[in-house]
Amino acid sequence: MGPARQRSTLVLLVLLLLLAAAMTPTLLTCASHLLSHSARRLARNPTSPLPALRLLSLLPASSPLRAFCPRARPSPIACSAYSTASAMADAADDTSSNPLLADFDFPPFDRVEPAHVRPGIRALLARLEGELEELEKGVEPAWEKLVHPLERIVDRLDVVWNVVDHLKAVKDSADLRAAVEDVQPEKVKFYLRLGQSKPIYEAFNAIRNSSDWDSLSDARKRVVEGQIKDAVLGGVALEDEQREKFNQIQQELEKLSEKFSENVLDATKKFEKLITDKKEIDGLPASALGLAAQTAVSKGHENASAENGPWMITLDAPSFMAVMQHAKNRALREEVYRAYLTRASSGDLDNTDIISQILKLRLEKAKLLGYKNFAEVSMARKMATVDRVQELLEKIRAASWDHAVQDMEDLKAFVKDSGSAEANDLAHWDLNFWSERLRESKYDIDEEGLRPYFALPKVMDGLFSLANKLFGITVEAADGLAPVWNSDVKFYCVKDSSNSPVAYFYFDPYSRPSEKRGGAWMNVVFSRSSVLARHGSSVRLPVAHMVCNQMPPVGDKPSLMTFREVETVFHEFGHALQHMLTRQDEAFVAGISGIEWDAVELPSQFMENWCYHKNTLLSIAKHYETGEPLPEEIYAKLVAAKNFRAGTFSLRQIRFASVDMELHTTYDPSGPVSVYDVDRRVAEKTQVLAPLPEDRFLCGFSHIFAGGYAAGYYSYKWAEVLSADAFSAFEDVGLDNEKAIEETGRRFRETVLALGGGKSPLEVFVAFRGREPSPEPLLRHNGLLPVAA
C-alpha cells in the first residue's frame, strides 16, 4: 500500500470511527489517540502498514461497521487498553526516551521493558556501524587512534546487550524472548563485521611488528595479541564463500544456544506436583515445607501453609534437592529424579536435535578455521592443550575411582544395617537420601538443622569481614544508588583502605522459578577503563552482578542457607573480587577480561576454602533468633565431613568434563553413534552406579551448549588445581597467624586479583606462589592422597 493510499485509508477509518462514536461518544477519545499515533507512525515511516484491523476491532458490538472486522469482539476496555499500548509503542519507538540509549552511570534495569529492545538495539547498532566505518577510514597503528575508539565501540554494545541479556536471565518473559530473538541476528552480524575488520586487524599486526613493540607494557602486549588471535578465530582470514559460511554458522549457533537455554528453563518450570497429603512428603524439613507452601500460594492456592498444605514441588534447585535428600517417599523421589534427569528431552522442548546441530556446526566452524576439531579452537584461548587436559582428567579419575567404589560400598552397608528393603536395589533416586542419612549418622550433622545458623545477612557480613582482612577492602550497602530489576536485589559499594570507592556490585540472592534461570553466576556490568572515565575521574570503576538461587525468606524468617549455599556465595564473590579489584586500566584485559577461560575459576574456588576456616566460619554462623554461635564441636564435624564421598563427587565432575571433551574431539555428530552413547561410555569409567538408560542429562547441560564452557568444562578441575595450590600458601604460613595471613592476602590481591588479563595466568600464579602449580594440594584437600604427600 503506497503512502497516498495509506493516508486515504487513515482518513476514511477515522471518519468511520467518528460516525460510530455518535452512538458511543467514548470512542471519540479512542479515535483521537489512534489518529495521533498513526500520524506519528506515518511521519516516521511513510511506508509502514497501519493497524486498520485494530481500528475496526475497537468498534462497539452493535455497530454495523463491525462487518469489516474479522476478529473477535473486543472487551469494553479495549479502547483504553489500546490507548495505553499506543503510548507504550510511541515511547519504545522514540529512541530519545529509550532507556537503553540513555547516558547512564548505572544501567536503568528498572525502566527497560521488552518494547525498548528492538528499537534500542537497532538504533545503537546503526550508530556504532557509523563509528566503526569512521574508525576504519582513519585507522592508524597507534594506541589512541586504534584501541581507544575500538574500546568505546565494543564497550557500548557489550554494556547495553548485557543489560538485555541479564534481564532475560533474571526477569524472563515471552515478550522479552521475542524481542531478543528478533534483534540477536543483527547483534551477531555486527560483532562478526567488527571481528572480521581487516583494517583493524592489519593495524594490530602493524603494532605487533613495529619497532616500538618491546616498549609496550605487558598489558598492552596482551591486548594486541588477544585482538589478533580473536580476529583469526573470528574468521578475519576467510574470504568470500568461506566467510559467508562461517558467519551463517555463527548466527545459527547463537540462535541454537538461546533456544537450548529457553527449553531448559521452560522444562524446569513445566514440572509442578501439588501434594495435599502430608504423608507423601514425610521427612521434608520445615524450611522445605515452607518453601513448598509458598510456591503453592504463588500458583493460586491462597490458603496453603507449611503445616497444612497444599505443597508444590518443582524442579527448581531448593525444592528438587530437598526432595532428593529428605523425602522418605521413595516413589516421590523417583518421580522427581526422573523428571529432572529427562528435562528438555521430549516434545516441543526436546534439546536432542539442537545438541546434534550445535556439534555439527562447531565441527564445521573448526574445519573452516583450519583446526581438526572444536576442542582445538577452544584451547586456542586457554592455558591448556587437549593432551594436557586429558592427562589431568585421567590422573584425577584414577585417584578418585577406588574412593568412589568404597563410597558405594559404605552406603550399601549402611542402608542394609538400617533394615531398609532398598538395600537390595539401590537406585539413583536413593543415593542422595541415604547419603544424607549416612552423613548424619557418621558425623552427627543435620544439614537442615544448621540452616538457622546461616542467615543470609550474617553470612554476608562475615564474607565482607574476611575480604577486609585478606584484601584490605570495605564493602558497604549502597541500596538506592543504582536502579535494580527486583526489590530483593541488593547493591554494594567496595572501598579501599583510604575509604575511596573502587567498585560496585549487585546481589540477587533468591530463587524465582517463574522468571529466573537456575544456577549461580557472576557477570560484568562495567569493566574498569581509563578511556571510559566519567565526570572528570581518571578511571571508570568496575561494576559486577552476582546471582544465586537460594531459598527465599519464608514468613518472618530471613533466608536460611545450607552450608552448600554458603559455599556458593563465597564462590561467586571470588569471581566478583577478580573483576572488581583489578588494577588494569586497559578494559580489554581488566578484571576477568582477557583471562584464559580455564583460569577464571581460580579466585572463586579459592574463596570456597575459607568456608572451612575456623575463625571465618564461626564469625558467620550465629543462630538467627538467639545469636548463639555455632558450637565448636559442630564446626569440627563439618571439617571432618568435608571430604565425605569426595571420590564420588570428583568422578561426577570428571564425567562432565570427559563427555564434553569427547563430544568436541573424536565424536562424529553425523555418524551412527548418539551423544547418549558417548555419555554412557564415559560413565562406565566415571560412575560406579551405571546411569539409567533414559538418562538425558545432556539435554540440560547448559554449560557446554548454552554457556561458555564448550570443550572447557575441564576448567573447573584445572582451576581447582590452581586454587588449591594458592590456598596452600596460606596453610604454609599458618592459618592462625593473623599477620602472615594478612600479608599473604595482600600478595594474592596484588597478583591474582589485580593483574587481570594483563599477564598470562601462569605468570600471575608464579608471581603469587613463587613456582608453577602442582595437583598435589588438590588431591590432598579432597582426601584423595595421604596428608604426608
Side-chain angles (χ1 to χ4, degrees), residues 9 12-17 20 27 30 34 50-61 63-74 78 82:
T9 303
L12 174 62
L13 288 171
V14 172
L15 287 173
L16 291 173
L17 278 172
L27 279 174
C30 187
L34 289 167
L50 289 173
L53 289 177
R54 263 188 287 175
L55 283 161
L56 286 167
S57 70
L58 294 171
L59 293 170
S63 172
L65 301 177
R66 290 282 302 180
F68 290 96
C69 182
R71 297 181 183 270
R73 296 180 180 182
Y82 185 75

Side-chain angles (χ1 to χ4, degrees), residues 528-663:
R528 182 180 169 96
S529 168
S530 58
V531 172
L532 296 164
R534 294 166 59 84
H535 308 306
S537 62
S538 60
V539 67
R540 182 184 68 179
L541 298 181
V543 182
H545 55 63
M546 285 169 51
V547 182
C548 293
N549 266 285
Q550 64 197 52
M551 187 176 292
V554 177
D556 58 355
K557 294 180 180 179
S559 175
L560 301 177
M561 306 167 68
T562 64
F563 186 68
R564 178 62 194 136
E565 287 173 337
V566 173
E567 289 180 295
T568 298
V569 170
F570 273 59
H571 178 103
E572 298 307 332
F573 191 60
H575 282 308
L577 286 170
Q578 186 170 38
H579 176 65
M580 296 188 295
L581 299 187
T582 184
R583 296 283 175 85
Q584 298 289 359
D585 291 342
E586 302 286 348
F588 287 125
V589 291
I592 62 173
S593 299
I595 298 178
E596 282 75 353
W597 194 258
D598 42 9
V600 296
E601 295 292 338
L602 192 170
S604 55
Q605 294 177 338
F606 164 81
M607 287 299 293
E608 287 186 46
N609 288 283
W610 293 99
C611 294
Y612 293 92
H613 178 234
K614 183 177 180 180
N615 292 344
T616 299
L617 187 66
L618 294 182
S619 74
I620 66 176
K622 312 278 187 184
H623 197 283
Y624 80 100
E625 288 179 314
T626 66
E628 171 193 357
L630 184 76
E632 289 203 21
E633 59 269 23
I634 294 183
Y635 163 75
K637 292 172 183 176
L638 273 174
V639 173
K642 178 185 177 184
N643 292 327
F644 177 62
R645 294 175 63 76
T648 299
F649 295 134
S650 178
L651 281 187
R652 181 175 182 269
Q653 291 295 91
I654 297 300
R655 175 193 173 190
F656 295 165
S658 298
V659 73
D660 171 37
M661 287 302 294
E662 183 158 343
L663 289 176

Side-chain angles (χ1 to χ4, degrees), residues 16 127 136 142 157 219 222 248 395 399 468 490 611 625 640:
L16 291 173
R127 192 183 89 197
E136 289 178 321
L157 183 52
R222 291 268 293 177
Q248 288 174 355
K395 180 171 185 174
N468 176 259
K490 303 297 182 185
C611 294
E625 288 179 314

Side-chain angles (χ1 to χ4, degrees), residues 393-403 651:
L393 294 180
E394 176 55 26
K395 180 171 185 174
I396 297 176
R397 189 206 69 81
S400 305
W401 179 259
D402 288 345
H403 292 271
L651 281 187

